[in-house]
């Protein structure tokens, strides 16, 4: 259970906004040499039993996972939960509540896109949705690529689905306190996902890490698909400064869209505590 273990503790299936099933992801992870795996669908644990069974069938060890959408300092932050009891009633209800506003938000996004000259985006996005409770911006992005409005999903987010652009609908997600407490209350460890992506000021980032720790959060994703080597080094320093453990996860969504494949990430810096050493008794 050292830093050299090929652990991939962040990815998405059709149960949220990925394009592969839990079983297909497990086959791909095992083929890429993953030894310890977690499926971390957005705001949802509906794929956990399938993922765990598929991991076992592929000879991989498994940690339960999810990625909870949180609103902090006016921005959306993602908190990965690992090794919690996926049957715990409090986290299950918390995730139901967190998912709850997605349908209405999607209809508002569609209305804005229609006003910008792109009709029927809600119906179009729905065709990509695997879980009706989990319609996300990613599904809209796939529809806008399919219809030729944009070349790739990155372009969709730049032009349409981010703050200040037509199609962006502000949304209030879970609180940082609740997300961390649902995870830790169910026996898991909470991880700040892909910290380089938030665009916080130094003060806001300091507040995020301080409050996260105060609520019982224990780890930060240092090595992840959207981090450059410099960003990984920077958040390795943050982990040392705040006394946090480190996680490693590709954030893989799709063979066609994701730049980082399952299990192909650089290793964690050796002096950091891998988050999975805190979860030895939760590994299945
Ligand atoms: P939502 O939870 O509906 O706000 O959708 C967020 C999801 O959109 C993230 O989990 C990513 O999968 C995807 N996403 C966000 N920003 C980008 C981007 N710049 N390029 C591609 N996908 C993105
Ligand atoms: Mn996603
Ligand atoms: Mn995320
Ligand atoms: Mn993710």
């Amino acid at each position: 259970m050292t830093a050299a273990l090929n652990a991939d503790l962040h990815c998405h299936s059709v149960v949220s906004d990925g394009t592969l099933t839990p079983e297909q992801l497990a086959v791909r992870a095992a083929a890429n040499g993953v030894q310890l795996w977690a499926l971390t669908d957005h705001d949802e644990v509906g794929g956990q039993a399938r993922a765990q069974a598929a991991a076992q069938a592929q000879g991989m060890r498994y940690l339960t996972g999810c990625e909870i959408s949180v609103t902090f300092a006016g921005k959306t932050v993602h908190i990965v939960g690992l090794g919690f009891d996926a049957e715990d009633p409090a986290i299950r209800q918390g995730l139901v509540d967190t998912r709850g506003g997605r349908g209405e938000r999607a209809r508002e996004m569609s209305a804005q896109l229609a006003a910008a000259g792109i009709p029927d985006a809600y119906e179009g996005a729905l065709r990509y949705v695997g879980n009706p409770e989990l319609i996300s911006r990613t599904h809209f992005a796939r529809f806008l690529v399919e219809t030729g409005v944009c070349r790739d999903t990155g372009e969709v987010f730049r032009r349409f689905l981010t703050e200040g652009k037509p199609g962006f609908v502000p949304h209030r997600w879970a609180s940082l306190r609740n997300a961390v407490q649902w995870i830790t209350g169910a026996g898991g460890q909470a991880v700040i996902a892909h910290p380089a992506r938030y665009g916080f000021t130094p003060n806001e980032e300091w507040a995020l890490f301080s409050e996260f720790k105060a609520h019982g959060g224990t780890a930060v994703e240092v090595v992840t698909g959207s981090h450059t080597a410099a960003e990984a080094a920077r958040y390795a320093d943050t982990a040392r400064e705040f006394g946090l453990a480190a996680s490693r996860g590709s954030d893989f969504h799709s063979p066609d869209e994701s730049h980082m494949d399952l299990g192909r990430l650089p290793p964690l810096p050796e002096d950091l505590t891998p988050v999975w050493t805190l979860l030895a008794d939760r590994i299945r």
Side-chain angles (χ1 to χ4, degrees), residues 189-234:
Q189 303 287 333
V191 185
I192 297 178
H194 45 61
R197 280 192 24 200
Y198 303 129
F200 281 136
T201 65
N203 276 343
E204 287 169 336
E205 188 175 272
W206 189 87
L208 171 66
F209 277 83
S210 302
E211 290 186 33
F212 172 75
K213 220 185 141 153
H215 294 318
T218 51
V220 54
E221 204 170 56
V222 169
V223 173
T224 183
S226 61
H227 277 183
T228 63
E231 287 166 343
R234 176 163 162 226

Side-chain angles (χ1 to χ4, degrees), residues 20 23-34 58 60 252 254-256 261-262:
L20 301 185
E23 292 79 11
Q24 289 168 327
L25 286 168
V27 168
R28 191 177 182 101
N32 287 351
V34 172
Q58 297 297 323
M60 291 184 293
F252 182 81
S254 161
D256 301 324
D261 207 340
L262 288 154

Side-chain angles (χ1 to χ4, degrees), residues 148-206:
V149 176
C150 294
R151 258 176 301 113
D152 54 39
T153 52
E155 186 187 338
V156 181
F157 279 90
R158 280 194 301 279
R159 286 178 53 197
F160 293 102
L161 302 181
T162 41
E163 203 165 343
K165 304 291 164 60
F168 179 76
V169 174
H171 192 73
R172 184 134 201 107
W173 302 105
S175 70
L176 181 65
R177 173 196 299 271
N178 283 347
V180 172
Q181 290 181 354
W182 295 331
I183 295 162
T184 57
Q189 303 287 333
V191 185
I192 297 178
H194 45 61
R197 280 192 24 200
Y198 303 129
F200 281 136
T201 65
N203 276 343
E204 287 169 336
E205 188 175 272
W206 189 87

Side-chain angles (χ1 to χ4, degrees), residues 124-125 127-128 140-151 156:
R127 293 210 305 276
Y128 292 90
F140 281 84
R142 290 185 186 133
F143 169 68
L144 266 62
V145 171
E146 174 203 82
T147 50
V149 176
C150 294
R151 258 176 301 113
V156 181

